[in-house]
Amino acid sequence: MSGRLGVKTLAGLPSKVVRPAYDPAHHGAGIVHIGVGAFHRAHQAVYSDTALAEAGGDWRIDGISLRSTDIADALNPQDGLFAMIERGEEGVAARVIGSIRKVIAAARDREAPLAALAAPETRIVSLTVTEKAYGIDRARGRVDEAHPAIAADLADRHAPQGVLGLLAEGLRLRRERGLPPFTVLCCDNLPDNGNLVRTGLLDLAARLDPAFAGWIIETVSFPSTMVDRITPAPTADTLAEAERHLGVRDLAAVETEPFSQWVIEDRFPAGRPEWERGGAIFVNDVAPYEAMKLRMLNGTHSMMAYAGFLSGRKYVRDVMADRALARLVRRHLKAAAATLAPLEGIDTGDYAEALARRFANPAIAHETYQIAMDGTEKLPQRLAAPALYALEHSQDLRPFAFAVAAWMRYCLGRTDDGMGYALRDPREEAIGAALAGADDPGGIAQALFALPGVFPPRLVDDPRWTGLVTDTLSGMLEKGVAPAVEKAVTR
Ligand code: CS2
């Protein structure tokens, strides 16, 4: 068999490939999802696929790609179908997911995103757009007028380009048409993510029309969620592997680990799919789960990304194969766990062990350089928040100081061997400007501590913290990153 994955080729796929246990064409869409990246395809789309198979309903997903047209071009000719390839230590399994109905490329079809948001059948709008896309100034709890999408959407609300502008205009149209609002479901790795999006959206809406902001307060629900599944960016190898399993080409395949977790606040006034069929957990308050995941998984990930990348480790699994770095991973997990409130039914020691195993998964090629991206957006919740807690509770600060020093070292843009790389941070320019006059470790640390909104003042005003970070950075600069890693484990 040759050709491309799609409704026509579905029946002829090899029997080992798991196929949707329902006819996708018999289900309408109830969800609009913004940001149809690999993570969405490996996570929420899979839960929805299981929910459709087991509980039915008009809960397929219409995706919106805000910038790129690639995923629309990959998925639409495949009738929305794609393979989710699970790669565990025990083997590899392929499953075709049928929950996505189509993808709208906003760059090509300007009217379609708002039409989807304002459609009567849309009951949930979910989002995975990465931390930087929202344009929310988290320290001040309002929108960042300097963010290009926010600036554009404040200037012209009727042709929104950004996420918040799109949500606002979609909701405004629904209100105008007498339709009930949709539930906004943020699935990005941000603390208290539902509430954060609500805060940004309300600020934007109030600037456009205070009465409209009041309507949002009264009627729109923003449940918070904790999402987890390690999903490397797909590569040519991913697509080749998909073709080996399917016997046909699939340009939207994703590869991911077997583990998956989704914890959601159950506040869906307009209804929701039975995601619990796929293993989602519904709770009243996601905050403690989110803190656990952000500080333990993501915080350790960021440490591994900076220290690992600078030590020449391409993948997270290579970091785990390095004795010294792996010890720093365990040290970081332990320190992060100590900053958390106890969570009923969860042993953070077991969670840490499970994370170390997941990081070491030899079948997953997750690049440290991928995780290193967007540090200024990630550090506040992953490293700065637990560091502040540790400082205020006289706990071990060194793991957090080490991770932050590694990020600072990374911000210099070259390895110990002199290899240059792009930072890939939305504040790359501000970082460059801050570092321009800084030539010693103290100056570099001060310049980066002064970037607005990354570190809380109570942390950077404390000499115990700044001293530790500066000393660690000094060691990295004088002797190199690998020796600094060795030194950190022998302490
Ligand atoms: C990673 C996350 O790229 C990153 O910053 O830490 O994408 C991580 O893989 C996921 O949150 C795992 O659920």
Side-chain angles (χ1 to χ4, degrees), residues 39 43 131 189 227-232 257 259 261 293-294 297-302 305 358-359 366-368 370-373 378 382:
F39 182 69
H43 191 272
E131 299 88 336
N189 283 318
V227 293
D228 187 9
R229 191 165 212 188
I230 291 173
T231 307
E257 63 173 341
F259 180 90
Q261 195 173 32
K293 194 250 168 177
L294 285 169
L297 190 159
N298 297 111
T300 309
H301 243 180
S302 288
R358 290 169 61 195
F359 293 155
H366 198 191
E367 287 198 32
T368 49
Q370 182 187 341
I371 303 167
M373 190 161 55
K378 294 173 176 175
R382 297 180 178 202

Side-chain angles (χ1 to χ4, degrees), residues 145-474:
E145 297 98 340
H147 189 280
I150 297 288
D153 293 350
L154 280 170
D156 179 4
R157 66 178 300 174
H158 298 301
Q161 297 176 17
V163 181
L164 294 185
L166 199 56
L167 290 174
E169 186 61 5
L171 285 167
R172 193 193 65 80
L173 286 170
R174 297 185 79 91
R175 180 177 178 234
E176 193 178 85
R177 295 174 189 177
L179 292 169
F182 44 71
T183 297
V184 178
L185 189 66
C186 174
C187 299
D188 277 301
N189 283 318
L190 285 157
D192 203 8
N193 55 8
N195 207 28
L196 186 76
V197 174
R198 178 176 185 271
T199 304
L201 187 63
L202 283 177
D203 182 37
L204 183 78
R207 292 166 194 235
L208 302 169
D209 171 2
F212 171 51
W215 179 82
I216 296 179
I217 291 176
E218 277 165 27
T219 61
V220 185
S221 182
F222 298 79
S224 283
T225 65
M226 180 266 248
V227 293
D228 187 9
R229 191 165 212 188
I230 291 173
T231 307
T235 63
D237 288 346
T238 314
L239 303 192
E241 167 130 44
E243 190 166 353
R244 269 199 303 281
H245 283 272
L246 305 177
V248 289
R249 283 188 312 138
D250 171 4
L251 301 188
V254 287
E255 56 182 297
T256 187
E257 63 173 341
F259 180 90
S260 183
Q261 195 173 32
W262 198 6
V263 187
I264 314 169
E265 287 172 357
D266 203 357
R267 296 190 276 115
F268 292 83
R272 62 164 173 83
E274 292 190 25
W275 285 315
E276 56 272 54
R277 306 279 188 145
I281 300 167
F282 285 91
V283 299
N284 286 328
D285 180 14
V286 149
Y289 296 90
E290 186 77 57
M292 175 178 82
K293 194 250 168 177
L294 285 169
R295 294 181 185 186
M296 292 185 67
L297 190 159
N298 297 111
T300 309
H301 243 180
S302 288
M303 184 279 284
M304 297 166 95
Y306 301 117
F309 179 83
L310 293 169
S311 315
R313 310 287 167 208
K314 184 164 183 194
Y315 299 117
V316 169
R317 64 186 184 206
D318 305 335
V319 173
M320 295 306 288
D322 176 308
R323 186 197 49 84
L325 282 167
R327 280 182 63 188
L328 289 188
V329 165
R330 290 185 188 276
R331 178 182 85 156
H332 196 101
L333 287 168
K334 197 166 165 210
T339 70
L340 300 168
L343 196 50
E344 212 191 298
I346 295 203
D347 178 325
T348 50
D350 294 346
Y351 184 66
E353 265 319 300
L355 288 176
R357 270 202 309 278
R358 290 169 61 195
F359 293 155
N361 183 343
I364 291 286
H366 198 191
E367 287 198 32
T368 49
Y369 186 51
Q370 182 187 341
I371 303 167
M373 190 161 55
D374 297 344
T376 55
E377 292 283 332
K378 294 173 176 175
L379 258 55
Q381 58 278 15
R382 297 180 178 202
L383 298 173
L388 180 61
Y389 183 96
L391 180 75
E392 292 183 335
H393 293 81
S394 303
Q395 294 176 355
D396 190 6
L397 268 181
R398 287 171 309 164
F400 306 111
F402 178 87
V404 168
W407 168 71
M408 291 181 165
R409 173 65 192 78
Y410 180 85
C411 285
L412 301 180
R414 58 183 152 67
T415 63
D416 286 330
D417 301 339
M419 182 194 79
Y421 49 85
L423 287 195
R424 303 199 298 178
D425 189 294
R427 291 166 76 185
E428 202 161 332
E429 266 179 44
I431 292 173
L435 291 176
D439 39 26
D440 63 348
I444 294 169
Q446 281 313 320
L448 294 174
F449 280 144
L451 286 173
V454 183
F455 299 96
R458 288 212 306 285
L459 189 60
V460 295
D461 288 346
D462 195 300
R464 285 171 293 176
W465 167 254
T466 52
L468 262 180
V469 174
T470 309
D471 285 351
T472 314
L473 181 61
S474 258

Side-chain angles (χ1 to χ4, degrees), residues 41-184:
R41 306 204 295 285
H43 191 272
Q44 303 102 57
V46 179
Y47 286 85
S48 289
D49 188 73
T50 308
L52 283 163
E54 295 189 10
D58 287 333
W59 285 117
R60 287 182 84 204
I61 303 163
D62 281 350
I64 298 179
S65 266
L66 284 178
R67 285 190 308 267
S68 155
T69 53
D70 295 353
I71 193 62
D73 291 341
L75 273 174
N76 292 337
Q78 297 182 182
D79 309 306
L81 299 173
F82 65 94
M84 187 266 300
I85 299 169
E86 252 176 43
R87 300 177 57 95
E89 283 176 55
E90 292 84 45
V92 184
R95 165 173 165 191
V96 172
I97 303 299
S99 54
I100 298 184
R101 187 169 70 169
K102 64 165 192 262
V103 179
I104 297 162
R108 210 160 36 207
D109 196 351
R110 287 264 154 230
E111 314 289 317
L114 279 177
L117 261 55
E121 62 268 25
T122 299
R123 282 156 287 163
I124 296 173
V125 174
S126 53
L127 307 128
T128 48
V129 290
T130 78
E131 299 88 336
K132 63 176 176 266
Y134 292 95
I136 299 174
D137 176 342
R138 287 187 252 158
R140 292 190 303 159
R142 42 190 284 189
V143 293
D144 171 8
E145 297 98 340
H147 189 280
I150 297 288
D153 293 350
L154 280 170
D156 179 4
R157 66 178 300 174
H158 298 301
Q161 297 176 17
V163 181
L164 294 185
L166 199 56
L167 290 174
E169 186 61 5
L171 285 167
R172 193 193 65 80
L173 286 170
R174 297 185 79 91
R175 180 177 178 234
E176 193 178 85
R177 295 174 189 177
L179 292 169
F182 44 71
T183 297
V184 178

